[in-house]
Amino acid sequence: IGLTDDEKKILEVIRLIEQVMSKVQDLLKVSSELRIYQRYLEYSEKIYTTFSDTKKSKIQEIYNTIQGDIEKFYLMLHPNEPHRNIRLMVAFGRRASTELKIKSFGRSGEDPRALTSEGHLDSLGLCIFLSFIKKFNKGCPLVILDDVVTTIDASHRHKLAELLLKEFGDYQLIVTTHDGIWYEQLVNMQRALNVQGNFKDMEIIAWSVDTGPIIKSFKLQWEKIQDKLRNHDKTGAGNQCRVYLEWLLKEICEQLEVHIPYKQSGKYTVIDLFDPAEKRIKEKLKENELKNELLGKFENLRATSFMGNLLSHDNPEIENLSIEEVKSFCRAVRDLHEALLCPKCGKFLKYFRDSKILRCPDLRCESPKKGETK
């Protein structure tokens, strides 16, 4: 018996109702499960928020404990510069974010990237790293530093050497560098602080895939010059002594605040530095034993310095110079250097503008070498 059209429509509606009722049951079941998972989500969010806030608070507590060391180390590297009040702060409103603020040129809360150089930023990063070492490496006092002065300017590198040897003298320090001048500053600082017996100063003189690095004991520049003089290597000794003199004059200009003509390249030669350095001593120091000693050394050096240029070029007249003449030039450079070192602690003399004095920079030195300035 066939169904009428009305009966067919009724059957279709019944099937639809049955399907809807089945889906409603599924929906009710899912809704019930959703409410359970929503509660789990709320609990998870509360746990995460509590954990995150607690973690950030603890991180900030750690930052607070190392603030003093960061500030101390940075001031050791940059004692007379307008950057102070360094702060590490957790940004609670952002995920995994720390803000670094500094007071620069009288302006508080500045981002250091705004008003400091790349060298300052790198030295600041190094100070933060060393502060973390002080905080966390007490059970494992090992510090490894690899080429950390690549962007730190020369005027601050000797301060970094002093910082490492004074503040981390009880740590095992492993320091590598391509910078020969900074390496000598490290070695000289060991001697100045009388801790040279605690270190092994080595130099990689060659390297190959088959042999690996070939290492020998490091010698200071003056010791290398003496070796060349003993071997009658006039050209080698003269070349190396000219480089030594150039470094020495740069150190004099920095420590005595010598005014020299600006060069955009930043490259200064002996000719650029010699006269301004001598003039600074003549005009700035009062008449005393130190002034007479330094000017005497400059005069001796001026009498022999022509050999510095002569020996640094491929010049046939080199053969006309005796080894004694070359020795006299090298000795004059060394004498000037020694005249500028404190005999008690070996540190390079420094001009103190406020007290108007040229003296050993170690204020605790028992018998510093010094002279008054005008």
Side-chain angles (χ1 to χ4, degrees):
I1 301 174
L3 297 175
T4 66
D5 289 342
D6 289 341
E7 289 173 336
K8 289 180 181 178
K9 290 180 181 178
I10 292 171
L11 286 174
E12 182 64 27
V13 170
I14 291 172
R15 282 195 295 271
L16 288 174
I17 291 173
E18 288 175 345
Q19 291 176 6
V20 169
M21 290 180 66
S22 174
K23 297 300 182 184
V24 167
Q25 292 301 318
D26 291 342
L27 183 60
L28 290 174
K29 182 180 179 181
V30 171
S31 297
S32 177
E33 292 176 350
L34 179 60
R35 286 193 294 271
I36 294 173
Y37 288 119
Q38 283 177 331
R39 287 198 297 270
Y40 289 162
L41 176 60
E42 291 172 3
Y43 296 151
S44 299
E45 287 179 338
K46 288 180 181 179
I47 292 171
Y48 174 78
T49 301
T50 302
F51 169 77
S52 180
D53 290 346
T54 302
K55 182 184 72 171
K56 289 179 179 179
S57 296
K58 292 299 181 182
I59 292 173
Q60 187 62 58
E61 287 178 14
I62 293 172
Y63 287 167
N64 292 341
T65 62
I66 66 173
Q67 295 289 161
D69 280 338
I70 296 174
E71 186 90 2
K72 176 184 177 182
F73 296 161
Y74 192 77
L75 290 179
M76 289 180 71
L77 298 183
H78 307 277
N80 301 311
E81 299 182 24
H83 310 298
R84 296 289 186 276
N85 197 26
I86 303 162
R87 292 290 179 267
L88 280 174
M89 295 177 293
V90 175
F92 282 88
R94 299 198 299 271
R95 184 179 179 182
S97 181
T98 293
E99 292 181 339
L100 181 59
K101 298 295 182 182
I102 191 171
K103 182 178 180 180
S104 292
F105 302 98
R107 294 162 55 174
S108 299
E110 289 288 336
D111 186 323
R113 293 171 295 183
L115 298 171
T116 56
S117 67
E118 182 182 1
H120 282 78
L121 290 174
D122 284 353
S123 63
L124 177 56
L126 181 59
C127 291
I128 294 172
F129 172 72
L130 294 174
S131 299
F132 274 109
I133 288 176
K134 282 281 189 180
K135 175 71 177 176
F136 293 107
N137 283 35
K138 293 179 181 177
C140 179
L142 173 65
V143 182
I144 301 175
L145 301 173
D146 178 37
D147 260 344
V148 295
V149 297
T150 51
T151 60
I152 299 175
D153 58 76
S155 64
H156 295 100
R157 294 181 186 184
H158 74 280
K159 295 184 178 69
L160 176 57
E162 185 174 11
L163 165 62
L164 291 174
L165 297 183
K166 280 188 173 181
E167 296 296 327
F168 295 87
D170 54 347
Y171 284 67
Q172 172 65 60
L173 287 171
I174 299 176
V175 182
T176 64
T177 182
H178 288 87
D179 191 318
I181 292 177
W182 188 57
Y183 195 73
E184 290 213 1
Q185 289 174 329
L186 275 170
V187 175
N188 284 322
M189 189 59 66
Q190 294 168 20
R191 298 181 181 186
L193 298 176
N194 198 29
V195 294
Q196 63 270 28
N198 298 341
F199 293 89
K200 283 190 175 181
D201 301 312
M202 310 298 291
E203 182 178 15
I204 298 175
I205 59 172
W207 182 92
S208 72
V209 175
D210 296 327
T211 65
I214 300 174
I215 301 175
K216 70 174 185 178
S217 294
F218 175 77
K219 289 186 178 181
L220 292 170
Q221 197 162 191
W222 175 242
E223 294 171 344
K224 294 177 181 177
I225 292 171
Q226 288 179 306
D227 286 345
K228 293 183 184 300
L229 290 173
R230 280 192 288 269
N231 293 326
H232 290 258
D233 181 1
K234 294 183 290 185
T235 302
N239 269 325
Q240 199 141 13
C241 197
R242 180 184 56 82
V243 175
Y244 179 26
L245 175 58
E246 188 174 302
W247 168 84
L248 176 60
L249 290 172
K250 288 179 179 178
E251 192 73 10
I252 293 172
C253 290
E254 179 193 345
Q255 300 301 333
L256 275 66
E257 298 183 6
V258 177
H259 302 292
I260 55 176
Y262 171 74
K263 279 192 172 184
Q264 189 173 4
S265 66
K267 296 180 179 179
Y268 295 91
T269 64
V270 169
I271 296 173
D272 300 320
L273 304 173
F274 191 96
D275 288 342
E278 184 182 34
K279 182 180 178 183
R280 177 69 166 173
I281 292 171
K282 284 181 180 178
E283 296 179 351
K284 199 65 183 175
L285 265 66
K286 291 183 178 180
E287 293 298 331
N288 53 42
E289 184 178 345
L290 178 58
K291 178 177 181 177
N292 294 332
E293 180 186 11
L294 292 176
L295 291 179
K297 304 302 182 187
F298 267 95
E299 185 177 345
N300 291 340
L301 185 54
R302 188 182 291 278
T304 61
S305 61
F306 73 95
M307 285 187 289
N309 288 326
L310 182 62
L311 291 169
S312 64
H313 299 88
D314 185 15
N315 194 317
E317 293 185 27
I318 291 176
E319 297 304 320
N320 297 327
L321 293 173
S322 68
I323 189 64
E324 294 304 321
E325 288 176 306
V326 179
K327 284 181 179 179
S328 69
F329 166 60
C330 296
R331 186 68 251 180
V333 176
R334 183 61 182 175
D335 286 345
L336 176 60
H337 188 186
E338 290 179 341
L340 286 155
L341 298 177
C342 176
K344 184 66 178 179
C345 64
K347 292 184 179 179
F348 207 97
L349 302 185
K350 177 179 176 60
Y351 169 56
F352 289 84
R353 184 181 302 177
D354 294 339
S355 54
K356 293 185 177 180
I357 194 169
L358 176 67
R359 59 156 288 159
C360 170
D362 188 350
L363 301 181
R364 295 169 295 181
C365 186
E366 296 177 359
S367 55
K369 188 173 188 178
K370 60 183 180 179
E372 293 183 358
T373 63
K374 299 176 183 177

PDB file of all heavy atoms in Angstrom, residues 325-337:
ATOM      1  N   GLU A 325     124.230  51.457  17.807  1.00  0.00           N
ATOM      2  CA  GLU A 325     123.336  52.581  17.527  1.00  0.00           C
ATOM      3  C   GLU A 325     121.871  52.146  17.623  1.00  0.00           C
ATOM      4  O   GLU A 325     121.023  52.875  18.140  1.00  0.00           O
ATOM      5  CB  GLU A 325     123.637  53.143  16.133  1.00  0.00           C
ATOM      6  CG  GLU A 325     124.945  53.897  16.057  1.00  0.00           C
ATOM      7  CD  GLU A 325     125.252  54.340  14.642  1.00  0.00           C
ATOM      8  OE1 GLU A 325     125.253  53.483  13.739  1.00  0.00           O
ATOM      9  OE2 GLU A 325     125.488  55.547  14.445  1.00  0.00           O
ATOM     10  N   VAL A 326     121.585  50.968  17.136  1.00  0.00           N
ATOM     11  CA  VAL A 326     120.223  50.440  17.233  1.00  0.00           C
ATOM     12  C   VAL A 326     119.862  50.212  18.701  1.00  0.00           C
ATOM     13  O   VAL A 326     118.755  50.518  19.145  1.00  0.00           O
ATOM     14  CB  VAL A 326     120.083  49.137  16.426  1.00  0.00           C
ATOM     15  CG1 VAL A 326     118.660  48.584  16.567  1.00  0.00           C
ATOM     16  CG2 VAL A 326     120.422  49.367  14.968  1.00  0.00           C
ATOM     17  N   LYS A 327     120.822  49.682  19.449  1.00  0.00           N
ATOM     18  CA  LYS A 327     120.592  49.459  20.878  1.00  0.00           C
ATOM     19  C   LYS A 327     120.292  50.774  21.603  1.00  0.00           C
ATOM     20  O   LYS A 327     119.439  50.822  22.493  1.00  0.00           O
ATOM     21  CB  LYS A 327     121.806  48.780  21.506  1.00  0.00           C
ATOM     22  CG  LYS A 327     121.936  47.304  21.204  1.00  0.00           C
ATOM     23  CD  LYS A 327     123.165  46.716  21.909  1.00  0.00           C
ATOM     24  CE  LYS A 327     123.293  45.226  21.632  1.00  0.00           C
ATOM     25  NZ  LYS A 327     124.494  44.646  22.285  1.00  0.00           N
ATOM     26  N   SER A 328     120.993  51.827  21.219  1.00  0.00           N
ATOM     27  CA  SER A 328     120.786  53.111  21.891  1.00  0.00           C
ATOM     28  C   SER A 328     119.367  53.636  21.653  1.00  0.00           C
ATOM     29  O   SER A 328     118.742  54.197  22.555  1.00  0.00           O
ATOM     30  CB  SER A 328     121.823  54.134  21.424  1.00  0.00           C
ATOM     31  OG  SER A 328     121.592  54.498  20.063  1.00  0.00           O
ATOM     32  N   PHE A 329     118.862  53.429  20.421  1.00  0.00           N
ATOM     33  CA  PHE A 329     117.478  53.834  20.130  1.00  0.00           C
ATOM     34  C   PHE A 329     116.493  53.025  20.971  1.00  0.00           C
ATOM     35  O   PHE A 329     115.589  53.565  21.608  1.00  0.00           O
ATOM     36  CB  PHE A 329     117.200  53.639  18.637  1.00  0.00           C
ATOM     37  CG  PHE A 329     115.747  53.703  18.276  1.00  0.00           C
ATOM     38  CD1 PHE A 329     115.000  54.842  18.527  1.00  0.00           C
ATOM     39  CD2 PHE A 329     115.116  52.611  17.680  1.00  0.00           C
ATOM     40  CE1 PHE A 329     113.654  54.899  18.192  1.00  0.00           C
ATOM     41  CE2 PHE A 329     113.775  52.660  17.349  1.00  0.00           C
ATOM     42  CZ  PHE A 329     113.043  53.805  17.610  1.00  0.00           C
ATOM     43  N   CYS A 330     116.686  51.708  20.994  1.00  0.00           N
ATOM     44  CA  CYS A 330     115.768  50.846  21.751  1.00  0.00           C
ATOM     45  C   CYS A 330     115.843  51.150  23.245  1.00  0.00           C
ATOM     46  O   CYS A 330     114.824  51.178  23.934  1.00  0.00           O
ATOM     47  CB  CYS A 330     116.102  49.379  21.491  1.00  0.00           C
ATOM     48  SG  CYS A 330     115.873  48.867  19.764  1.00  0.00           S
ATOM     49  N   ARG A 331     117.046  51.390  23.739  1.00  0.00           N
ATOM     50  CA  ARG A 331     117.210  51.681  25.163  1.00  0.00           C
ATOM     51  C   ARG A 331     116.548  53.009  25.519  1.00  0.00           C
ATOM     52  O   ARG A 331     115.970  53.153  26.614  1.00  0.00           O
ATOM     53  CB  ARG A 331     118.696  51.726  25.499  1.00  0.00           C
ATOM     54  CG  ARG A 331     119.032  51.882  26.964  1.00  0.00           C
ATOM     55  CD  ARG A 331     118.640  50.648  27.746  1.00  0.00           C
ATOM     56  NE  ARG A 331     117.503  50.907  28.607  1.00  0.00           N
ATOM     57  CZ  ARG A 331     116.960  49.997  29.397  1.00  0.00           C
ATOM     58  NH1 ARG A 331     117.432  48.769  29.421  1.00  0.00           N
ATOM     59  NH2 ARG A 331     115.940  50.293  30.156  1.00  0.00           N
ATOM     60  N   ALA A 332     116.606  53.993  24.607  1.00  0.00           N
ATOM     61  CA  ALA A 332     115.984  55.295  24.875  1.00  0.00           C
ATOM     62  C   ALA A 332     114.467  55.156  24.990  1.00  0.00           C
ATOM     63  O   ALA A 332     113.835  55.807  25.832  1.00  0.00           O
ATOM     64  CB  ALA A 332     116.353  56.282  23.765  1.00  0.00           C
ATOM     65  N   VAL A 333     113.876  54.314  24.139  1.00  0.00           N
ATOM     66  CA  VAL A 333     112.424  54.074  24.226  1.00  0.00           C
ATOM     67  C   VAL A 333     112.090  53.410  25.554  1.00  0.00           C
ATOM     68  O   VAL A 333     111.163  53.811  26.264  1.00  0.00           O
ATOM     69  CB  VAL A 333     111.946  53.191  23.053  1.00  0.00           C
ATOM     70  CG1 VAL A 333     110.460  52.867  23.205  1.00  0.00           C
ATOM     71  CG2 VAL A 333     112.192  53.896  21.722  1.00  0.00           C
ATOM     72  N   ARG A 334     112.884  52.404  25.910  1.00  0.00           N
ATOM     73  CA  ARG A 334     112.623  51.691  27.164  1.00  0.00           C
ATOM     74  C   ARG A 334     112.804  52.600  28.382  1.00  0.00           C
ATOM     75  O   ARG A 334     112.023  52.544  29.343  1.00  0.00           O
ATOM     76  CB  ARG A 334     113.571  50.497  27.279  1.00  0.00           C
ATOM     77  CG  ARG A 334     113.347  49.636  28.522  1.00  0.00           C
ATOM     78  CD  ARG A 334     111.957  49.051  28.521  1.00  0.00           C
ATOM     79  NE  ARG A 334     111.709  48.255  29.717  1.00  0.00           N
ATOM     80  CZ  ARG A 334     110.543  47.702  30.020  1.00  0.00           C
ATOM     81  NH1 ARG A 334     109.510  47.863  29.196  1.00  0.00           N
ATOM     82  NH2 ARG A 334     110.388  46.996  31.118  1.00  0.00           N
ATOM     83  N   ASP A 335     113.809  53.467  28.338  1.00  0.00           N
ATOM     84  CA  ASP A 335     114.050  54.387  29.464  1.00  0.00           C
ATOM     85  C   ASP A 335     112.874  55.332  29.670  1.00  0.00           C
ATOM     86  O   ASP A 335     112.493  55.630  30.814  1.00  0.00           O
ATOM     87  CB  ASP A 335     115.330  55.194  29.228  1.00  0.00           C
ATOM     88  CG  ASP A 335     116.585  54.361  29.416  1.00  0.00           C
ATOM     89  OD1 ASP A 335     116.478  53.258  29.994  1.00  0.00           O
ATOM     90  OD2 ASP A 335     117.667  54.798  28.980  1.00  0.00           O
ATOM     91  N   LEU A 336     112.301  55.822  28.558  1.00  0.00           N
ATOM     92  CA  LEU A 336     111.141  56.701  28.677  1.00  0.00           C
ATOM     93  C   LEU A 336     109.972  55.937  29.301  1.00  0.00           C
ATOM     94  O   LEU A 336     109.263  56.474  30.165  1.00  0.00           O
ATOM     95  CB  LEU A 336     110.759  57.243  27.300  1.00  0.00           C
ATOM     96  CG  LEU A 336     109.486  58.118  27.271  1.00  0.00           C
ATOM     97  CD1 LEU A 336     109.643  59.341  28.172  1.00  0.00           C
ATOM     98  CD2 LEU A 336     109.156  58.538  25.844  1.00  0.00           C
ATOM     99  N   HIS A 337     109.762  54.709  28.864  1.00  0.00           N
ATOM    100  CA  HIS A 337     108.672  53.894  29.423  1.00  0.00           C
ATOM    101  C   HIS A 337     108.870  53.698  30.924  1.00  0.00           C
ATOM    102  O   HIS A 337     107.950  53.900  31.723  1.00  0.00           O
ATOM    103  CB  HIS A 337     108.636  52.549  28.715  1.00  0.00           C
ATOM    104  CG  HIS A 337     107.438  51.726  29.076  1.00  0.00           C
ATOM    105  ND1 HIS A 337     107.260  50.421  28.655  1.00  0.00           N
ATOM    106  CD2 HIS A 337     106.344  52.006  29.850  1.00  0.00           C
ATOM    107  CE1 HIS A 337     106.120  49.950  29.129  1.00  0.00           C
ATOM    108  NE2 HIS A 337     105.555  50.887  29.863  1.00  0.00           N
TER     109      HIS A 337
END
